[in-house]
């Protein structure tokens, strides 16, 4: 939303009190919170116009008490007209300030009616840090909710006017209420997603203790020393956990961004999860195909709470699959095990990590989180569908691509720009990364590149590709260089530092870069020279335009998507093969130009040029069939050039 909660004040209503760790920590997250009201099972707290600094200090004081309730709040710190009231009061007189806050004219309300009003007050954040289910869907009955004690105060989701809901507590909303709230324009995850850091922290704690237990048992590590070590690692484990949860939430945001264009992929993924991963739509309250189609006609789609369910089933399914493969035992991937643990353990107990009873489970989860959170909920499914590979091949190729592109530092630089540039711009940059990885995965799998040994694959491509990326602007033909510089300036104007803007711009060229390296290796040619020939041929034959046009085509179904992907990869292979053929002809004729090389097959080149001219001048745009025709002409040209 573009709001920096550490710099910009925002209003909040809370469920809970400062004695609760969830509510309390949430309400101490930033000094910019203007907590206008909160309630627990006993009291209703109302502060119509709070001073952020003074109220923060008072909340902190309560949080640090051994026990507290809203009755302990210093009423002198409450703004004019506010107060602390009994939740079970029959009648509470309302000051003009409270009436203005609630946008009502009644001069009094019962405690229960006041709670209902607070739940529907228009604020920036509704923070649930308490116990109980306070919001249901309009079509649900109170008896279906299973929390009879809160029946008198429960409201329907369509009445909630908060812009954002955070669920620190469990089941503050029913799942149907979450969906209804989001369809009405609200923003929220699920309690499972908002609470997952606590579970993640517990997992780390248990796995660390399992790691150290044999050392305790054989006397090589004393209990007191172990406990000191746990304290020492607390902050780093917290950072690891928060990074996991940042990535998971970001994954949902990217899914929301890509849904309009990727609806077919999500529909296919849902069908797969139903058929193969025991997802039951009615149990998880996911829409059927007919309901989803109606939503899309209304300009809506899967909501964030629904995407959270799809994310969970996708991760569980992929983790389960990986546990049945040998991929988890590959030497090159063992750093994912080490990365799970804090640095002191990596330095001191590397051998014990290799013997951890849950080693494979930890690696499987780490790989799943890396692939799904970084590349998208539908990435693996889409790749399987588009290139007819199995999940292990896709994961192997994706992990190889991530390392070849050396993306971790790049991602961190994008994340460091939070609240410094618009979130939409960050999403666009991250989508460029996903497209680059997707292209390399397709190249790797469709060109039958050897990825059985990931170490060899990474060693072969990583350094040359990084060098190519650093020097790309100098190696591109003049026309393409102008486009490159124009895009780099566009990213710079969006707020990215100059060097990062260049890195973002270079991403779209990296799949082709794999072809450059293949030419270099096949022909024994310096990669710089291979790149110049490669890009010059592509420029002459308009291959970049053809690939972009095919990629941007609107695909009505998965078969059209598969067909377009196949044509794009055929064009990449054409560029690679033609460049190899040209370089080999150069060994015979040092002065042979690309024009002269293509003139050796003048009839095919003329037919191709004529077809491209007709598409660009006489048709609204390239189509799948016209793209297939020109690609076939280029394949014929490639075959002739190799004779």
């Amino acid at each position: 939303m573009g709001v920096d909660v550490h710099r910009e004040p925002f209003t909040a209503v809370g469920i809970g009190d400062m004695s609760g760790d969830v509510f309390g920590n949430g309400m101490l997250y930033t000094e910019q919170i203007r907590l206008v009201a909160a309630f627990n099972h006993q009291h209703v707290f109302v502060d119509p116009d709070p001073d952020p600094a003074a109220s923060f200090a008072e909340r902190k004081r309560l949080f640090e008490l051994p026990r507290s309730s809203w009755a302990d709040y210093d009423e002198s710190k409450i703004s004019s007209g506010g107060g602390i009231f009994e939740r079970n009061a029959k009648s509470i007189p309302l000051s003009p300030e409270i009436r203005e806050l609630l946008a009502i004219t009644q001069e009094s309300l019962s405690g229960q009616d006041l709670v209902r009003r607070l739940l529907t007050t228009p604020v920036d954040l509704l923070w649930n840090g308490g116990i109980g289910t306070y919001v249901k869907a309009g079509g649900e009955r109170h008896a279906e909710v299973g929390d009879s004690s809160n029946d008198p105060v429960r409201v329907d989701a369509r009445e909630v006017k908060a812009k954002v809901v955070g669920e620190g507590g469990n089941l503050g909303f029913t799942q149907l209420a979450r969906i209804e709230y989001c369809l009405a324009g609200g923003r929220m995850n699920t309690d499972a997603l908002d609470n997952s850091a606590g579970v993640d922290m517990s997992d780390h704690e248990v796995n660390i203790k399992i790691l150290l237990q044999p050392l305790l048992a054989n006397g090589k590590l004393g209990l007191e020393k172990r406990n000191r070590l746990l304290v020492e690692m607390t902050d780093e484990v917290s950072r690891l956990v928060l990074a996991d949860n940042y990535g998971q939430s970001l994954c949902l945001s990217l899914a929301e961004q890509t849904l309009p264009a990727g609806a077919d992929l999500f529909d296919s993924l849902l069908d797969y999860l139903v058929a193969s991963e025991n997802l039951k739509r009615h149990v998880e309250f996911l829409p059927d195909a007919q309901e989803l189609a109606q939503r899309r006609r209304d300009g809506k789609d899967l909501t964030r709470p629904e995407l959270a369910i799809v994310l969970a089933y996708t991760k569980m399914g992929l983790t389960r699959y990986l546990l049945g493969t040998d991929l988890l035992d590959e030497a090159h991937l063992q750093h994912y095990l080490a990365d799970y643990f804090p640095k002191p353990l990596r330095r001191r107990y590397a051998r014990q990590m290799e013997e951890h009873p849950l080693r494979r489970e930890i690696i499987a989860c780490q790989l799943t989180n890396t692939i799904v959170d970084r590349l998208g909920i539908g990435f693996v499914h889409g790749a399987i569908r588009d290139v007819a590979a199995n999940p292990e091949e896709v994961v192997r190729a994706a992990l190889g691509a991530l390392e070849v592109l050396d993306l971790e530092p790049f991602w961190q630089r994008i994340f460091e720009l939070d609240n410094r540039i618009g979130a939409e711009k960050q999403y666009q940059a991250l989508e460029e990364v996903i497209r680059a990885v997707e292209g390399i995965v397709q190249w790797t799998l469709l060109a039958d590149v050897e990825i059985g040994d990931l170490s060899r694959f990474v060693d072969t491509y990583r350094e040359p590709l990084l060098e190519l990326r650093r020097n790309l602007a100098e190696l591109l033909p003049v026309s393409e260089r102008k486009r490159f510089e124009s895009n780099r300036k566009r990213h710079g104007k969006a707020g990215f530092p100059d060097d990062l803007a260049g890195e973002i711009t270079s991403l779209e060229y990296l799949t082709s870069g794999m072809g450059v390296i293949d030419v270099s290796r096949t022909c024994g040619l310096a990669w710089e020279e291979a790149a110049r020939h490669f890009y010059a041929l592509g420029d002459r034959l308009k291959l970049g335009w053809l690939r972009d046009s095919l990629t941007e085509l609107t695909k009505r179904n998965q078969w059209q998507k598969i067909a377009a992907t196949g044509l794009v990869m055929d064009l990449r292979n054409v560029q690679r093969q033609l460049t190899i053929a040209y370089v080999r002809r150069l060994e015979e004729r040092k002065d042979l130009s690309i024009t002269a090389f293509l003139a050796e097959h003048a009839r095919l080149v003329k037919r191709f040029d004529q077809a491209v001219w007709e598409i660009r001048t006489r048709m609204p745009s390239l189509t799948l069939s016209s793209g297939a025709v020109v690609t076939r002409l280029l394949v014929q040209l490639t075959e002739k050039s190799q004779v």
Side-chain angles (χ1 to χ4, degrees):
M1 294 173 67
V3 176
D4 183 347
V5 298
H6 292 288
R7 296 183 181 180
E8 302 172 55
F10 61 96
T11 55
V13 165
I15 302 170
D17 59 61
M18 295 305 297
S19 67
D21 59 345
V22 173
F23 183 91
N25 277 295
M27 291 295 96
L28 294 176
Y29 180 68
T30 167
E31 296 186 21
Q32 301 300 326
I33 299 172
R34 298 183 68 245
L35 184 64
V36 298
F39 63 87
N40 62 6
H41 62 291
Q42 292 177 300
H43 301 106
V44 181
F45 163 85
V46 185
D47 190 359
D49 187 21
D51 174 82
S55 58
F56 178 90
E58 181 61 8
R59 289 197 301 277
K60 187 170 185 293
R61 183 185 70 82
L62 293 187
F63 187 68
E64 291 171 350
L65 293 175
R67 295 288 301 170
S68 70
S69 72
W70 288 117
D72 297 303
Y73 197 97
D74 183 350
E75 295 199 42
S76 69
K77 304 289 176 64
I78 298 176
S79 59
S80 177
I84 299 162
F85 312 100
E86 296 292 326
R87 176 168 160 171
N88 61 3
K90 299 298 183 184
S91 179
I92 297 172
L94 303 180
S95 66
E97 291 85 357
I98 293 180
R99 294 201 300 271
E100 182 180 356
L101 172 68
L102 302 180
I104 61 175
T105 58
Q106 293 103 308
E107 295 188 353
S108 66
L109 289 173
S110 69
Q112 291 181 341
D113 285 341
L114 180 56
V115 168
R116 288 177 57 84
R117 284 291 183 177
L118 293 177
L119 287 168
T120 60
T121 298
V123 288
D124 296 313
L125 173 69
L126 174 58
W127 172 245
N128 173 33
I131 298 170
T133 305
Y134 293 93
V135 185
K136 66 177 184 66
E140 289 183 295
R141 293 177 291 109
H142 289 292
E144 296 175 274
V145 174
D147 177 25
S148 58
S149 63
N150 285 306
D151 285 355
V153 299
R154 190 173 299 115
V155 299
D156 289 347
R158 58 175 174 262
E159 301 176 82
V160 177
K161 298 181 181 65
K163 295 175 183 176
V164 176
V165 174
E167 284 200 272
N170 289 316
L171 205 62
F173 280 52
T174 67
Q175 178 68 356
L176 284 174
R178 296 184 188 111
I179 296 166
E180 183 173 284
Y181 168 73
C182 289
L183 287 173
R187 299 165 184 255
M188 71 183 302
N189 296 315
T190 59
D191 51 358
L193 201 91
D194 281 351
N195 278 311
S196 64
V199 178
D200 196 354
M201 177 65 80
S202 297
D203 285 347
H204 276 79
E205 178 187 351
V206 169
N207 282 321
I208 288 170
K209 288 178 177 177
I210 290 174
L211 175 70
L212 299 177
Q213 184 57 37
L215 296 168
L216 283 173
N218 62 26
K220 292 183 178 179
L221 179 68
L223 184 61
E224 186 177 338
K225 185 176 179 182
R226 187 209 71 166
N227 291 344
R228 285 200 306 270
L229 182 60
L230 293 177
V231 172
E232 175 190 335
M233 296 186 298
T234 299
D235 286 347
E236 187 179 354
V237 173
S238 296
R239 287 192 292 272
L240 291 170
V241 166
L242 290 172
D244 285 346
N245 286 265
Y246 181 105
Q248 188 161 252
S249 185
L250 175 62
C251 180
L252 292 189
S253 296
L254 287 170
E256 287 183 302
Q257 299 290 312
T258 57
L259 252 178
D264 177 64
L265 173 60
F266 276 88
D267 290 350
S268 175
L269 176 59
L270 271 172
D271 289 342
Y272 167 78
L273 294 174
V274 168
S276 303
E277 298 298 337
N278 201 32
L279 170 63
K280 294 179 172 57
R281 289 181 188 249
H282 67 283
V283 172
E284 301 293 355
F285 306 109
L286 290 171
D288 59 25
Q290 185 176 358
E291 182 184 347
L292 198 47
Q294 182 58 54
R295 276 195 206 174
R296 288 169 180 157
R297 286 192 289 271
D298 295 337
K300 300 173 182 177
D301 213 302
L302 288 169
T303 64
R304 199 173 174 96
E306 290 165 321
L307 288 170
I309 298 297
V310 179
L311 173 64
Y313 276 85
T314 298
K315 284 189 172 185
M316 289 188 292
L318 183 57
T319 301
R320 193 160 43 243
Y321 177 88
L322 291 175
L323 284 169
T325 71
D326 295 331
L327 184 64
L328 307 179
D329 302 312
E330 186 152 334
H332 189 78
L333 298 178
Q334 298 312 300
H335 70 88
Y336 282 94
L337 174 65
D339 292 345
Y340 174 85
F341 292 100
K343 290 185 179 67
L345 295 183
R346 299 179 211 172
R347 289 193 298 266
R348 303 175 203 176
Y349 304 116
R351 184 178 60 79
Q352 285 80 4
M353 286 182 191
E354 296 172 6
E355 300 169 356
H356 197 292
L358 297 175
R359 178 185 66 84
R360 300 184 90 252
E361 286 78 3
I362 293 171
I363 296 173
C365 286
Q366 289 284 88
L367 296 184
T368 294
N369 285 338
T370 298
I371 297 294
V372 177
D373 290 347
R374 293 289 206 238
L375 301 178
I377 300 174
F379 183 89
V380 172
H381 180 74
I384 292 169
R385 189 184 68 171
D386 295 345
V387 301
N390 64 48
E392 182 179 354
E393 291 171 328
V394 171
V395 170
R396 182 180 289 275
L399 293 171
L402 294 179
E403 295 205 27
V404 160
L405 296 177
D406 192 29
L407 285 176
E408 195 58 41
F410 177 84
W411 273 320
Q412 293 309 317
R413 294 183 67 195
I414 296 291
F415 300 156
E416 286 167 5
L417 293 172
D418 285 355
N419 295 314
R420 291 168 54 193
I421 66 172
E424 296 293 326
K425 303 299 182 186
Q426 289 176 288
Y427 292 145
Q428 289 168 13
L430 294 170
E431 287 166 12
E432 292 281 355
V433 174
I434 294 169
R435 279 191 286 272
V437 174
E438 183 178 50
I440 290 178
V441 168
Q442 290 170 351
W443 170 274
T444 302
L445 296 177
L446 290 175
D448 289 328
V449 175
E450 176 54 47
I451 55 171
D453 185 337
L454 274 175
S455 294
R456 181 180 299 174
F457 176 78
V458 173
D459 290 344
T460 298
Y461 289 100
R462 179 170 174 165
E463 285 306 318
L465 202 60
L466 290 174
E467 282 296 315
L468 178 66
R469 192 175 185 182
R470 281 192 281 266
N471 297 278
L472 189 59
E474 301 169 13
L475 298 169
L476 293 171
V478 174
S479 60
E480 192 61 36
R481 196 178 306 163
K482 289 179 179 177
R483 178 172 172 270
F484 181 93
E485 292 299 338
S486 173
N487 285 335
R488 176 155 61 181
K489 288 178 182 176
R490 176 170 55 84
H491 291 306
K493 288 180 180 177
F496 293 101
D498 288 344
D499 57 342
L500 188 54
E503 288 189 50
I504 296 169
T505 306
S506 71
L507 286 167
E508 67 171 293
Y509 298 89
L510 297 185
T511 304
S512 295
M514 301 288 284
V516 169
I517 296 163
D518 283 348
V519 170
S520 171
R521 295 176 64 237
T522 301
C523 299
L525 193 67
W527 64 263
E528 299 95 331
E529 196 67 21
R532 288 191 177 91
H533 297 324
F534 187 91
Y535 292 127
L537 259 170
D539 186 54
R540 164 62 184 84
L541 296 173
K542 307 287 189 298
L543 297 183
W545 170 77
L546 282 168
R547 287 194 300 264
D548 290 346
S549 299
L550 285 166
T551 301
E552 292 164 9
L553 277 177
T554 300
K555 293 92 174 177
R556 293 187 180 87
N557 55 55
Q558 73 176 77
W559 300 109
Q560 290 187 351
K561 173 71 165 59
I562 293 170
T565 299
L567 290 176
V568 168
M569 296 313 299
D570 286 344
L571 290 171
R572 294 196 186 283
N573 190 49
V574 159
Q575 191 169 1
R576 179 173 66 93
Q577 295 288 356
L578 277 177
T579 306
I580 291 171
Y582 173 58
V583 169
R584 286 175 173 163
R585 288 285 286 119
L586 279 175
E587 295 171 0
E588 303 167 11
R589 283 186 55 189
K590 301 293 184 185
D591 61 343
L592 184 68
S593 67
I594 286 176
T595 301
F597 168 70
L598 293 175
E600 295 175 354
H601 308 286
R603 184 178 62 84
L604 278 172
V605 173
K606 184 176 180 181
R607 285 176 60 194
F608 170 78
D609 286 341
Q610 179 67 25
V612 169
W613 180 84
E614 289 190 16
I615 292 168
R616 300 186 79 170
T617 59
R618 295 184 177 178
M619 296 175 64
S621 62
L622 184 80
T623 64
L624 204 53
S625 16
S626 60
V629 170
V630 294
T631 301
R632 181 59 194 156
L633 289 171
L634 286 173
V635 169
Q636 290 176 339
L637 174 62
T638 303
E639 292 169 349
K640 290 286 185 183
S641 71
Q642 294 173 334
V643 174

